[in-house]
Amino acid sequence: MAEAESDRQRAIQSEADSHSGAGMPADHVEISADPLSLDAVVARCHDDGAGAIVTFVGITRNVFEGKKVLKLEYECYVPMAERKLLELCGLVRGRWDITKIAIAHRTGTVPVGESSVIIAVSSVHRKEALEATHYAIDELKATVPIWKKEFFEGGDVWKENAEQRREPLPPPSSL
């Protein structure tokens, strides 16, 4: 199973490389049932020409709306979700002058305290990386078909992100 997952990741990275254009660094997207590593995602964004790497880490919290959360479970159709993540990387690149972008998302069971999603963006200056990271997590939640089931004391429920009830947003214009 791990070998098949590694083959899939090589294929996704190869596809990102082929879409990135001459001289442009590759985007990295990853969907994994294994725990995510912040260090590994950040390492994919490291570049000696970048003055900033900004990260967002979404973590399973232990309480939501007064209910004790036991765990989260994520499901997706991996090829579709990976394609949407690559599209999101393209949208980010189309608006901000970033160096590299890496997005990793969990599937399966994610216990309290573990990461569900990690986004890292590097750029020459911090402003671009900060804005791009903020946009990326909001659009990921709104447009990437990854579904979340929350298990809490006394029950469970499929959760919809509020962002999923709106149309995708274009990247904001610079102020």
Side-chain angles (χ1 to χ4, degrees):
M1 174 98 164
E3 187 174 317
E5 185 69 21
S6 292
D7 289 344
R8 174 183 274 308
Q9 286 309 313
R10 280 191 294 276
I12 292 302
Q13 187 60 47
S14 174
E15 182 174 342
D17 290 346
S18 70
H19 284 68
S20 63
M24 184 181 286
D27 301 330
H28 175 78
V29 301
E30 173 184 353
I31 296 176
S32 176
D34 296 326
L36 303 178
S37 165
L38 177 61
D39 289 341
V41 176
V42 168
R44 291 199 173 272
C45 286
H46 183 267
D47 186 284
D48 288 343
I53 298 176
V54 173
T55 61
F56 171 84
V57 181
I59 299 171
T60 302
R61 61 181 171 248
N62 64 357
V63 175
F64 182 70
E65 295 181 351
K67 298 176 188 171
K68 182 177 179 183
V69 175
L70 305 174
K71 64 181 178 180
L72 299 178
E73 286 187 2
Y74 290 89
E75 291 184 11
C76 71
Y77 176 61
V78 174
M80 181 185 291
E82 288 169 338
R83 177 93 41 216
K84 294 298 286 183
L85 288 172
L86 285 171
E87 287 175 16
L88 177 56
C89 291
L91 287 171
V92 168
R93 282 194 177 283
R95 172 58 190 94
W96 290 277
D97 185 15
I98 65 167
T99 308
K100 295 183 180 179
I101 182 170
I103 303 173
H105 204 296
R106 282 281 295 270
T107 56
T109 300
V110 182
V112 169
E114 288 192 14
S115 303
S116 299
V117 59
I118 300 174
I119 298 173
V121 178
S122 61
S123 63
V124 174
H125 302 288
R126 70 182 176 270
K127 182 178 180 184
E128 290 83 4
L130 285 163
E131 291 175 356
T133 302
H134 185 188
Y135 174 80
I137 187 57
D138 286 351
E139 287 307 293
L140 183 154
K141 292 175 76 98
T143 65
V144 179
I146 299 174
W147 302 281
K148 174 172 71 174
K149 189 172 189 180
E150 187 171 291
F151 291 82
F152 52 89
E153 284 185 342
D156 56 73
V157 62
W158 285 100
K159 299 291 285 194
E160 175 189 41
N161 291 315
E163 295 89 349
Q164 291 173 324
R165 288 181 250 138
R166 65 161 173 79
E167 290 296 316
L169 296 176
S173 60
S174 185
L175 298 175

